[in-house]
Structures are given as C-alpha cells and as structure tokens.
Amino acid sequence: MNRLLLNCDIGESFGSWTMGLDAEVMPFIDCANIACGFHAGDPSIMRKTVSLALSHGVRIGAHPAYQDLAGFGRRSMAYGAQELQDLLHYQIGALDGICRAQGGRVSYVKPHGAMYNDMMANPAQLRAVIQAVAAYDRQLPLMLMATRDNSAAQALGNEYGVTLWFEAFADRAYDNAGRLVSRQAPGAVHHDPETIIGQALTIARGDALTANDGSALHLKANTLCVHGDNASSVAAVQRIREALDRQSAP
C-alpha cells in the first residue's frame, strides 16, 4: 500500500464570498493547495488559510492559475512561455511571502484549472511550468496528473532537476489513456461515497482501475486529490483518510 498524500484545493474564497469548507477539511489532508489570488483568494484569505494549514501541520502548496478571476481559472488563455513563468513566479512568491511572515514556507506547486489541463496536453507548456518551478526553487515538487504513461513528464522533470508528484483522483472517471473523462460526459464524476473510497484504495494498492472503455488502467500516483466544497465531500474525505490509514498500518 503506497502512502498517498491527500491534497485539496483550498483557500478559494474571495472577499466576502465564501467557497469551500476549509476548516472542516483541513484536519484530514496532508497538503493544502492554496489559491494565490488569480482565480480565487486574496491577501487576507491567503493569510487565514496559511494560518489554518500551519495550525494543523499541513503542507502548503502554491495553487497558481491564469489571471481569470471571473472564470475561476477554468478558461484556457494564450500566454507565451516567459509570460507563463512570470505569472507563476508572481503567485508563488506572493504566497511564499505570506507563509514566511507566519514562520512557514511554500513546499510544492500545483497549477489550477485550465493551466493544469493545458500543461498536461501541451509538452511545451509543461516544460515552461517546470522551468518556472526550477528557477524559483528547484527543491519544490510540482504536482501534475498521473496518466497511463508518466515517462515523458518524468523525463522533463529529470532534465530540470524538479521532483514530480503524480496526482490521481478518487471521484473521477478515467479514459484508457489515464486522462479524466470530461465533466460533460455521463458518469464522469463519482457521487457514491463507497465508489469514491473504493477507487482511492485501489489507487493506493497499485491495483488496476477500469477505464471508461472497460480496459484495465494502472496509475502510479504519489498523491490523491480530494474535494471539500460541501458537507458530503468532507465526510468522504474523512472516510478516505481513515481507510488509507487503516490499509497502510503495519
């Protein structure tokens, strides 16, 4: 049983607008992907979320996005490689500064939304993201999607000396390449808690999932993304945490 790190996108409120149940989910996760102000979050939300993570001993990750507050960072935008790196450095640096003021540090990077999807689809963009992380701090791991074949991404990480954390999802269906099925397709998102917990344990054991075409799919993952944006999700996060802890106990 692999010791999967549980990560959660968090700190995605903005001003007086609240999104997510950050305080409820924080005790059950290992890694908090904190929004850096471009798709969600603001300086005060970032400070409060960092404080919450530090109080629970949770690793803090920068969760940078395209500059798309209105679209929640879910719309692809055209950036050149240098512009993209500038965007990443601006956001990572902002969150890292807030962390340092409270005695913490950013300890990894996970791009958000369309930036994450675009880097997985475009090798040139993935290279630019890895270059940005390496230039900021080569010790920071980069979180990206685990697929059927991680070798090309791993080769890029090795080229720049950046550690890659491959991420899987307990509540999403996969195609035969190990990509997430579009949310527009039927059955793309799992809602049954038993199915979600079962998929989490299958990934942790290294056993095969069943892709949407019926083929066997093995994902080699270091971390599992969980969601904490409603009460039932928080309950699922708690049960996944408990199930993984039981399975990995000696």
Side-chain angles (χ1 to χ4, degrees), residues 3-248:
R3 177 61 170 85
L4 285 178
L5 298 172
L6 294 187
N7 79 80
C8 187
D9 299 348
I10 212 159
E12 293 185 318
S13 299
F14 181 79
S16 60
W17 178 72
T18 299
M19 179 173 181
L21 299 171
D22 294 358
E24 288 82 355
V25 76
M26 194 71 80
F28 305 111
I29 62 175
D30 300 295
C31 302
N33 318 319
I34 299 179
C36 300
F38 274 27
H39 77 281
D42 58 43
S44 294
I45 296 295
M46 292 161 71
R47 174 184 55 78
K48 292 173 185 175
T49 311
V50 164
S51 177
L52 183 63
L54 291 174
S55 71
H56 286 279
V58 172
R59 302 183 197 192
I60 294 169
H63 197 40
Y66 293 143
Q67 196 165 14
D68 181 26
L69 195 60
F72 199 67
R74 289 178 174 164
R75 299 180 292 193
S76 291
M77 304 180 76
Y79 287 97
Q82 187 59 62
E83 289 179 300
L84 184 62
Q85 292 177 43
D86 294 343
L87 210 68
L88 287 160
H89 290 159
Y90 186 96
Q91 293 175 81
I92 298 167
L95 183 64
D96 199 28
I98 289 172
C99 288
R100 293 182 64 169
Q102 298 189 54
R105 291 298 302 268
V106 165
S107 61
Y108 66 94
V109 177
K110 176 189 172 181
H112 166 81
M115 183 188 289
Y116 183 97
N117 292 332
D118 290 349
M119 78 178 189
M120 294 306 304
N122 183 342
Q125 181 149 334
L126 179 58
R127 179 181 291 274
V129 171
I130 291 175
Q131 286 177 315
V133 173
Y136 186 87
D137 183 348
R138 204 178 300 274
Q139 301 305 309
L140 294 181
L142 173 66
M143 196 178 291
L144 70 169
M145 189 184 299
T147 63
R148 183 180 289 277
D149 183 1
N150 299 328
S151 59
Q154 187 61 67
L156 276 176
N158 293 344
E159 181 180 342
Y160 291 96
V162 172
T163 298
L164 303 182
W165 285 352
F166 290 99
E167 175 184 41
F169 295 80
D171 63 350
R172 295 294 301 275
Y174 284 88
D175 66 18
N176 62 6
R179 305 282 185 181
L180 297 179
V181 173
S182 168
R183 286 181 178 269
Q184 307 305 314
V189 180
H190 303 320
H191 297 287
D192 174 54
E194 299 305 322
T195 300
I196 294 170
I197 293 166
Q199 183 156 309
L201 292 176
T202 297
I203 293 167
R205 288 192 299 265
D207 293 341
L209 301 175
T210 301
N212 65 342
D213 66 351
S215 62
L217 173 67
H218 286 90
L219 296 176
K220 294 182 179 179
N222 310 106
T223 182
L224 186 75
C225 183
V226 295
H227 295 104
D229 54 0
N230 60 56
S232 60
S233 293
V234 172
V237 170
Q238 182 176 358
R239 291 182 63 192
I240 290 171
R241 167 88 284 155
E242 293 168 350
L244 290 177
D245 287 348
R246 284 195 304 271
Q247 292 289 340
S248 61

